[in-house]
C-alpha cells in the first residue's frame, strides 16, 4: 500500500476520534456517566458525618448528633463488625427507649441507607419533642448528690424549671422532692417561702435518669426579689446587733431579738423566714428556719429539726457551741419564756418531744440559760 495513502487514512481516523471526543459521544460515554453519579453526601456541608466500625461507635455517633441538637447527619461504615441494617434498627430504637436524654427530647430517629463508592453509609433524620432552648438548658452531673447546688441556684434565681441529666441517680421522684425541701431548709433565705414543686423523671439504662423539676413561687419575680431584699435586711440587722465574742451570748441575743418581734401561730401558715421577720407571725417551722438563717449568716453550725411536740408535728433547732450540741425551740421560748427553750439537752427534751435521734447530733452540752445570763 502506498505510503501516502496510509498517511491520509491515519490522519482521517485521528480527525474522527477528535470530533467524537469533542462532541461527547462515542466509546467513552459509559465511563463519564459513572463518574457523574458518584455521591457527595459524605462531603455535604449540611450534614455531620462520622465513620464507625461497630455497634458501640454507631450508638455514640448518633447520640452525639442528638446532644448537638442536629436534625440531619450521616454515618459511614468502614470495615464494620456486624450486621449494619440490624444494628441501625436496634440502635435507633434503643436510644429512643433506653437513653434518658433521648427519652426526654427525641420524638423520632429515621435513616436511609446509601452506597458511597466503596463504603456503606446511612443518612439520618432526627426529630425532637423539645425546643432548642429547652435542650440548651439541660445540665449534666455524675451523681444525684450534686443536684443540691443546682436546686439552690434555681430557687435563688426564681427559675421555674430545672432539667438535669444524672448519670448515676440513686433517688426516685419522692427522693428528689425531699432533696428540694432539704435544700430550702438548709438555706431558707434563697426564697420567700418553700416553692411548690412538680417532679418528672425519665429513665435510661442502669442508673441514668433525667430529672425535670418545675417550681412555683406564688408571685411575680419583681415582687419576690423585693421581698427577698427586705428579708435579707432584717437578718442583717439581727446579726449585726447580736454579734458577741462568745457564741452562746450571740445566740441568746439573736433568740431574744427574733422572739420579741414575732407572734407564734400554731397553724400551717407562717412557715417561712419572711413571715417571721416581715409579717411578724410564724409557726414553729418559720421560727426554726429564721434561727437557721441567722446562724448561717454568723457561721454558727445549726440544724433544723423536724419532729413532734406533744404528738404534733413540730420544728426547732440544734446548735453547736464548741464541741457540744444543744436544742433551741423558739416557739417554746415565746410561749413559756426563753429559759424553757434555750440550750436544752436530749434528756430535758425527751419527755415532751420526739425526733429521729439517729438523724441529728446528740445534745449533751453542759451550758444552761442561767450560765449564759450570768456570764
Amino acid at each position: 500500500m502506498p505510503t501516502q495513502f496510509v498517511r491520509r487514512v491515519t490522519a482521517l481516523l485521528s480527525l474522527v476520534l477528535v470530533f467524537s471526543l469533542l462532541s461527547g459521544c462515542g466509546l467513552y460515554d459509559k465511563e463519564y456517566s459513572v463518574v457523574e453519579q458518584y455521591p457527595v453526601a459524605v462531603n455535604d456541608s449540611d450534614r455531620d458525618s462520622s465513620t464507625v466500625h461497630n455497634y458501640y461507635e454507631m450508638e455514640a455517633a448518633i447520640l452525639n448528633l442528638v446532644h448537638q441538637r442536629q436534625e440531619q447527619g450521616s454515618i459511614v461504615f468502614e470495615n464494620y463488625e456486624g450486621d449494619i441494617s440490624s444494628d441501625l434498627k436496634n440502635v435507633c430504637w434503643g436510644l429512643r427507649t433506653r437513653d434518658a436524654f433521648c427519652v426526654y427530647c427525641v420524638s423520632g430517629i429515621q435513616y436511609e441507607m446509601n452506597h458511597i463508592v466503596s463504603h456503606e453509609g446511612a443518612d439520618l433524620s432526627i426529630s425532637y419533642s423539645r425546643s432548642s432552648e429547652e435542650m440548651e438548658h439541660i445540665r449534666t452531673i455524675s451523681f444525684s448528690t450534686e443536684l443540691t447546688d443546682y436546686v439552690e441556684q434555681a430557687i435563688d434565681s426564681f427559675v421555674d424549671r430545672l432539667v438535669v441529666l444524672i448519670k448515676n441517680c440513686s433517688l426516685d421522684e419522692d427522693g428528689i422532692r425531699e432533696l428540694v425541701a432539704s435544700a430550702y431548709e438548709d438555706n431558707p433565705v434563697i426564697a420567700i417561702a418553700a416553692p411548690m414543686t412538680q417532679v418528672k423523671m425519665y429513665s435510661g439504662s442502669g442508673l441514668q435518669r433525667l430529672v425535670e423539676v418545675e417550681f412555683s413561687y406564688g408571685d411575680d419575680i419583681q415582687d419576690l426579689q423585693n421581698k427577698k431584699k427586705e428579708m435579707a435586711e432584717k437578718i442583717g440587722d439581727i446579726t449585726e446587733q447580736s454579734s458577741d465574742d462568745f457564741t452562746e451570748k450571740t445566740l441568746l441575743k439573736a433568740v431574744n431579738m427574733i422572739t420579741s418581734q414575732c407572734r407564734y401561730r400554731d397553724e400551717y401558715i407562717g412557715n417561712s423566714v419572711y413571715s417571721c421577720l416581715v409579717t411578724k407571725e410564724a409557726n414553729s417551722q418559720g421560727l426554726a428556719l429564721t434561727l437557721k438563717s441567722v446562724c448561717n449568716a454568723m457561721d454558727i453550725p445549726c440544724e433544723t429539726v423536724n419532729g413532734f411536740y406533744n404528738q404534733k408535728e413540730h420544728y426547732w433547732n440544734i446548735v453547736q457551741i464548741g464541741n457540744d450540741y444543744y436544742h433551741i425551740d423558739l416557739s417554746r421560748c415565746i410561749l413559756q419564756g426563753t429559759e424553757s427553750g434555750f440550750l436544752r439537752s436530749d434528756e430535758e427534751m425527751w419527755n415532751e418531744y420526739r425526733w429521729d435521734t439517729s438523724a441529728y447530733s446528740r445534745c449533751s452540752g453542759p451550758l444552761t440559760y442561767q450560765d449564759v445570763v450570768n456570764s
Side-chain angles (χ1 to χ4, degrees):
M1 184 178 293
T3 302
Q4 187 176 4
F5 177 78
V6 172
R7 288 177 179 174
R8 288 179 179 177
V9 171
T10 301
L12 180 61
L13 289 174
S14 299
L15 185 61
V16 170
L17 180 59
V18 169
F19 276 118
S20 68
L21 289 174
L22 292 174
S23 63
C25 320
L27 188 64
Y28 297 99
D29 283 351
K30 186 174 182 181
E31 282 77 359
Y32 277 114
S33 175
V34 170
V35 170
E36 290 172 355
Q37 290 179 6
Y38 281 170
V40 293
V42 175
N43 297 319
D44 189 348
S45 60
D46 293 333
R47 290 182 181 272
D48 280 348
S49 178
S50 299
T51 300
V52 302
H53 304 86
N54 54 52
Y55 182 97
Y56 300 103
E57 290 183 3
M58 181 199 301
E59 184 178 59
I62 298 177
L63 189 58
N64 183 56
L65 289 173
V66 174
H67 279 277
Q68 293 181 5
R69 298 178 292 281
Q70 298 293 320
E71 296 183 356
Q72 305 289 333
S74 297
I75 293 178
V76 177
F77 303 100
E78 186 177 87
N79 299 323
Y80 190 81
E81 302 170 3
D83 184 274
I84 293 175
S85 179
S86 175
D87 285 357
L88 253 178
K89 180 179 179 181
N90 290 335
V91 166
C92 291
W93 174 254
L95 289 177
R96 289 275 324 281
T97 57
R98 295 193 297 272
D99 182 87
F101 186 87
C102 293
V103 171
Y104 175 75
C105 63
V106 174
S107 58
I109 303 176
Q110 297 180 333
Y111 61 88
E112 183 177 344
M113 297 295 300
N114 59 46
H115 181 70
I116 308 173
V117 192
S118 60
H119 299 98
E120 292 292 330
D123 294 329
L124 298 161
S125 297
I126 306 171
S127 54
Y128 298 93
S129 57
R130 308 283 176 172
S131 68
S132 295
E133 184 179 5
E134 287 178 295
M135 294 172 64
E136 286 173 1
H137 285 86
I138 298 174
R139 301 291 179 260
T140 301
I141 59 177
S142 296
F143 301 97
S144 50
T145 51
E146 302 170 44
L147 183 59
T148 299
D149 289 340
Y150 283 98
V151 168
E152 284 193 8
Q153 292 169 17
I155 298 175
D156 189 40
S157 302
F158 301 113
V159 170
D160 58 6
R161 177 183 284 108
L162 174 67
V163 183
V164 180
L165 178 64
I166 308 174
K167 296 178 182 178
N168 298 278
C169 183
S170 59
L171 303 175
D172 57 12
E173 291 184 1
D174 288 338
I176 297 296
R177 277 187 281 269
E178 291 176 6
L179 184 147
V180 173
S182 296
Y184 168 72
E185 288 183 0
D186 287 341
N187 193 6
V189 295
I190 58 177
I192 305 307
M196 300 292 292
T197 59
Q198 290 186 342
V199 178
K200 293 181 182 178
M201 184 173 284
Y202 301 82
S203 298
S205 58
L207 294 176
Q208 186 198 51
R209 301 289 185 270
L210 187 141
V211 175
E212 181 182 42
V213 185
E214 294 185 351
F215 302 96
S216 177
Y217 304 95
D219 211 338
D220 66 76
I221 293 181
Q222 188 59 57
D223 285 344
L224 290 169
Q225 290 174 339
N226 291 338
K227 291 178 179 178
K228 189 173 177 179
K229 181 180 179 181
E230 188 177 7
M231 180 177 66
E233 290 173 352
K234 297 287 186 181
I235 293 174
D237 291 341
I238 294 174
T239 57
E240 183 179 353
Q241 297 181 48
S242 301
S243 180
D244 195 284
D245 293 337
F246 299 96
T247 302
E248 57 270 28
K249 288 191 173 183
T250 297
L251 282 167
L252 182 56
K253 290 179 181 179
V255 166
N256 286 334
M257 287 194 68
I258 296 170
T259 55
S260 65
Q261 60 183 289
C262 180
R263 187 166 72 94
Y264 174 64
R265 295 286 298 273
D266 188 17
E267 301 173 12
Y268 177 74
I269 59 173
N271 59 339
S272 69
V273 179
Y274 184 84
S275 59
C276 177
L277 297 182
V278 180
T279 63
K280 301 187 182 304
E281 288 187 335
N283 58 18
S284 64
Q285 185 178 16
L287 288 162
L289 292 176
T290 300
L291 183 58
K292 168 67 174 171
S293 299
V294 170
C295 286
N296 285 352
M298 297 189 294
D299 294 324
I300 298 175
C302 179
E303 302 173 85
T304 302
V305 183
N306 183 5
F308 296 89
Y309 174 65
N310 289 335
Q311 301 181 339
K312 291 182 63 177
E313 186 177 22
H314 195 73
Y315 290 81
W316 66 96
N317 301 96
I318 291 177
V319 298
Q320 182 179 358
I321 302 175
N323 295 322
D324 298 310
Y325 296 87
Y326 302 85
H327 295 274
I328 298 178
D329 183 358
L330 294 189
S331 60
R332 186 160 182 162
C333 291
I334 292 173
L335 295 175
Q336 300 181 29
T338 304
E339 184 174 2
S340 66
F342 184 74
L343 302 189
R344 311 295 288 182
S345 67
D346 285 349
E347 288 73 20
E348 291 172 319
M349 297 282 285
W350 194 250
N351 288 334
E352 299 170 288
Y353 294 81
R354 291 291 183 271
W355 65 96
D356 182 359
T357 55
S358 64
Y360 300 100
S361 304
R362 175 171 174 74
C363 299
S364 56
L367 286 175
T368 65
Y369 169 78
Q370 289 299 331
D371 291 335
V372 179
V373 171
N374 296 329
S375 61

